[in-house]
Amino acid sequence: MNKLNSDIRKIQFTGRSTYILSLPKKWIEEMNLKAGDHVSISRSSNNSLCITPEQDKRLQDSTNEVTTQVLIDEGPNTLKRKIVSMYLSGYNLINLKAKSARIQPIQREAVREVVRRSLIGTEIIADSSDIITIQVLLTLPELSVNTAVRRMFLIASSMHRDALVALKEKNYDIAMGVIRSDDEVDRFSLYILRNLVMATNNERVLQEIGLKNASDCLSYRVTVKSIERVADHASRIASKSMEIQSIIPPFITEKLEKLSNSALEVLTSAVEAFLRRDYNLADKIADKSDNVLIMEREIMLFLDSLENKDIDSHNINAGVKLILEDIRRTVEHASDIAESAMNQTVGEIIKVEKKVEN
């Protein structure tokens, strides 16, 4: 700690239940405070105290604004990535200002698309020829990180189930619905990651979004990215279901369904263990994952035996094997979530064990 910005003061007791801590006069003068002004006192997870002048707290709560120039030759995808980066950085008001005379039509459409498809709680509040303003309207308490993670999981698991239905029934509409749902999962992912970035820099934000420690942000990031990957694999299964031209025999789809259901059971247990901070439940995921992977290998061997008997089955089996890989990857991502749950809660388990010993 910088000694110029630290001081040691003695806590004094007055009355029956009040403790008083004096502040250095120099600090008060430098911060333009006076007797009677209000300050906000908060306790951090590491038991340190943070004293913030109310005027600074109001400033923190007010609009966090950024302005960036839009070049005339800036591609739409580049512009989208820039907007997402500013959103993830925690800005509440994003101004896109044309460096030349006007924002190009293709750039304007790119802004509208990224706001509509990728950014939760945002609206375009100003749209003129030379400037577009995006505002984040959703405040932190309205959608906690745990709630957003659960919604992500529900969408991703539903996508996985629907993808298998599309494969079994050769249903194009269901498959397209799965692929479109991937955008919704990505929107929740960006929203959560934005809040995690803000929480690592602000203890108050950490508490508002429902986390205990700053270190939890890393575990949540791993979990969010894992659920996002699960949705990606469901989308891939849906795409492959449309690419396989022949009807897959029922005795193969039944095996795929059984494997898929087992994979979703592992994923559900992993997410529940993470959200409930249940170390013991997370610890059991490894054995469940191994059982699913054994099932996947057995199906692979079964498909190989069919190819040896019937060369015509080669085209179907090639597509099915790719789908098996997506299901296997789903289980592996579930294992990553379970590992995050264990890393997040192992300290609590150690504390309980020490209490029992004592």
Side-chain angles (χ1 to χ4, degrees):
M1 180 181 292
N2 188 339
K3 291 184 178 180
L4 294 176
N5 293 321
S6 65
D7 194 19
I8 297 177
R9 294 285 162 133
K10 182 182 291 185
I11 297 177
Q12 302 178 40
F13 183 72
T14 179
R16 294 185 176 180
S17 59
T18 302
Y19 291 87
I20 295 177
L21 180 66
S22 62
L23 298 175
K25 180 180 178 181
K26 183 180 178 181
W27 292 4
I28 298 298
E29 292 175 345
E30 288 176 348
M31 300 179 71
N32 296 318
L33 295 174
K34 61 183 184 299
D37 286 346
H38 290 83
V39 294
S40 173
I41 304 176
S42 59
R43 188 178 73 176
S44 302
S45 57
N46 61 358
N47 284 331
S48 63
L49 297 177
C50 178
I51 302 176
T52 307
E54 271 299 301
Q55 60 190 36
D56 289 355
K57 185 174 185 296
R58 285 194 295 269
L59 184 61
Q60 292 173 5
D61 292 337
S62 64
T63 301
N64 188 9
E65 185 173 355
V66 64
T67 299
T68 185
Q69 289 185 330
V70 179
L71 306 178
I72 190 170
D73 59 346
E74 190 165 2
N77 290 331
T78 297
L79 183 57
K80 287 180 184 179
R81 287 190 288 268
K82 182 190 292 185
I83 294 171
V84 169
S85 295
M86 290 185 288
Y87 174 82
L88 289 176
S89 296
Y91 291 108
N92 293 329
L93 201 65
I94 302 171
N95 299 307
L96 307 170
K97 191 172 183 180
K99 187 174 183 180
S100 60
R102 63 177 60 87
I103 296 175
Q104 302 301 309
I106 190 172
Q107 295 171 332
R108 190 178 305 280
E109 182 56 35
V111 174
R112 291 170 179 166
E113 183 179 359
V114 75
V115 169
R116 182 177 65 252
R117 296 182 58 180
S118 302
L119 309 182
I120 284 182
T122 60
E123 294 288 344
I124 296 175
I125 62 172
D127 188 353
S128 61
S129 62
D130 63 337
I131 188 170
I132 300 175
T133 300
I134 303 169
Q135 184 170 10
V136 180
L137 303 173
L138 190 66
T139 58
L140 292 176
E142 292 182 33
L143 184 61
S144 71
V145 165
N146 272 5
T147 300
V149 168
R150 189 173 293 281
R151 290 188 185 179
M152 268 190 79
F153 157 68
L154 291 175
I155 296 171
S157 57
S158 178
M159 288 172 62
H160 186 98
R161 280 189 291 269
D162 288 346
L164 267 294
V165 172
L167 177 69
K168 181 180 180 180
E169 300 179 1
K170 302 296 294 181
N171 192 312
Y172 177 87
D173 292 334
I174 293 178
M176 289 304 300
V178 170
I179 294 171
R180 285 192 295 268
S181 294
D182 195 35
D183 288 338
E184 191 68 13
V185 173
D186 291 341
R187 291 176 75 232
F188 279 110
S189 174
L190 290 175
Y191 171 79
I192 296 169
L193 293 178
R194 165 188 163 88
N195 287 336
L196 295 179
V197 169
M198 295 168 64
T200 56
N201 299 319
N202 191 312
E203 179 74 23
R204 184 168 56 82
V205 173
L206 184 74
Q207 295 173 358
E208 286 183 357
I209 65 176
L211 301 188
K212 291 185 176 182
N213 306 297
S215 59
D216 289 344
C217 292
L218 179 59
S219 297
Y220 272 82
R221 180 178 178 83
V222 171
T223 295
V224 167
K225 297 305 291 184
S226 295
I227 296 175
E228 185 181 344
R229 295 289 183 267
V230 168
D232 290 340
H233 286 293
S235 184
R236 282 162 53 104
I237 294 173
S239 296
K240 293 185 183 77
S241 71
M242 295 186 292
E243 295 171 2
I244 299 175
Q245 300 299 321
S246 304
I247 299 296
I248 301 176
F251 60 85
I252 293 180
T253 57
E254 287 175 5
K255 291 180 180 294
L256 289 176
E257 281 184 307
K258 183 178 179 180
L259 181 67
S260 171
N261 291 335
S262 297
L264 286 178
E265 286 179 10
V266 175
L267 177 64
T268 300
S269 296
V271 173
E272 286 301 320
F274 181 83
L275 293 178
R276 287 167 20 198
R277 302 179 69 90
D278 190 330
Y279 182 94
N280 293 324
L281 178 58
D283 186 43
K284 297 175 183 177
I285 301 298
D287 292 335
K288 291 183 179 180
S289 299
D290 289 342
N291 292 335
V292 178
L293 296 180
I294 291 173
M295 290 174 58
E296 185 252 352
R297 286 193 291 270
E298 290 175 349
I299 297 175
M300 289 285 284
L301 292 174
F302 175 73
L303 294 175
D304 289 340
S305 68
L306 292 180
E307 286 188 12
N308 294 332
K309 296 178 181 178
D310 183 3
I311 193 66
D312 292 336
S313 66
H314 175 74
N315 292 332
I316 291 178
N317 289 355
V320 170
K321 286 181 178 180
L322 291 175
I323 291 172
L324 281 173
E325 180 181 352
D326 286 313
I327 297 176
R328 174 175 56 80
R329 293 289 292 155
T330 296
V331 176
E332 290 173 354
H333 290 307
S335 296
D336 291 339
I337 295 172
E339 184 176 338
S340 292
M342 294 172 68
N343 293 340
Q344 184 177 235
T345 57
V346 65
E348 299 170 9
I349 294 297
I350 293 174
K351 287 182 181 179
V352 171
E353 290 175 348
K354 287 184 177 180
K355 286 182 179 180
V356 172
E357 289 177 359
N358 296 333

